[in-house]
Amino acid sequence: KKPHGKKQYAIIGLGRFGSSVAKYLAEMGYEVLAVDDNAQRVQDVAHTVTHAVAADSTDEEAMSSLGIRNFDVVVVAIGQDIQASILTTLILKDLGVPYIIVKAQNELHGKVLNKIGADKVVFPERDMGLRVAHHLISPNILDH
Ligand code: ATP
């Protein structure tokens, strides 16, 4: 299940965030399963990752048959469709995925994700906005 003790990752949702996570992990030599219900998005990462599959993550049977519970970490990177993000997280939880990281669209979405058992909730746009602002007022930056 875990060759060389390396963790195995599944990334669901291959937008800018999800595909970036998937590609980096694959480049670092980790086993990565990439999932999206958009066949074109799956195609775009297929050459980079270990397995790329077109599937609807709100379909519990489809997730179960992918063996999603055998992955150490699953990243849910579905942004716009909050309902799909929540249903997917719930299904992964029910299937017994040990560690689930979910990208949240806003604070309320994040709250729901925490309540249904997401292990980590991330807010990439908010956090990057803060980092950029911080960078702008850091003493090393004189003229921006
Ligand atoms: P980003 O900011 O990372 O580009 P985003 O927040 O705009 O992404 P979306 O583009 O809405 O997020 O979703 C990311 C991906 O998730 C899309 O490629 C979309 O096809 C996929 N996706 C949405 N719903 C599902 C689903 N039910 N099953 C599988 N993939 C899904």
Side-chain angles (χ1 to χ4, degrees):
K1 186 188 150 197
K2 279 193 222 170
H4 317 111
K6 274 198 172 176
K7 283 189 176 169
Q8 297 179 304
Y9 299 89
I11 315 300
I12 299 173
L14 303 170
R16 290 159 299 180
F17 179 78
S19 62
S20 160
V21 174
K23 284 178 189 167
Y24 183 77
L25 291 171
E27 278 163 14
M28 296 303 285
Y30 290 91
E31 184 169 320
V32 175
L33 167 68
V35 179
D36 200 294
D37 62 359
N38 178 323
Q40 184 57 52
R41 294 246 161 127
V42 173
Q43 199 58 38
D44 290 344
V45 301
H47 61 287
T48 331
V49 300
T50 323
H51 304 287
V53 177
D56 177 359
S57 58
T58 64
D59 177 346
E60 180 155 11
E61 266 179 38
M63 291 303 101
S64 176
S65 62
L66 277 178
I68 203 84
R69 61 170 298 169
N70 298 317
F71 288 80
D72 300 287
V73 178
V74 178
V75 180
V76 181
I78 300 171
Q80 310 289 333
D81 190 345
I82 292 179
Q83 175 169 319
S85 161
I86 291 168
L87 290 178
T88 299
T89 303
L90 205 54
I91 286 168
L92 297 174
K93 197 73 194 165
D94 277 354
L95 290 172
V97 172
Y99 197 82
I100 307 169
I101 304 181
V102 192
K103 170 183 142 146
Q105 175 88 320
N106 55 52
E107 298 288 336
L108 199 54
H109 182 199
K111 264 192 195 174
V112 173
L113 294 169
N114 281 317
K115 289 218 175 184
I116 63 174
D119 297 284
K120 187 170 176 62
V121 177
V122 296
F123 302 85
E125 292 86 357
R126 182 197 72 184
D127 292 351
M128 189 51 74
L130 286 173
R131 280 178 62 176
V132 169
H134 187 257
H135 177 74
L136 287 173
I137 60 172
S138 82
N140 300 327
I141 303 295
L142 297 175
D143 278 317
H144 287 279

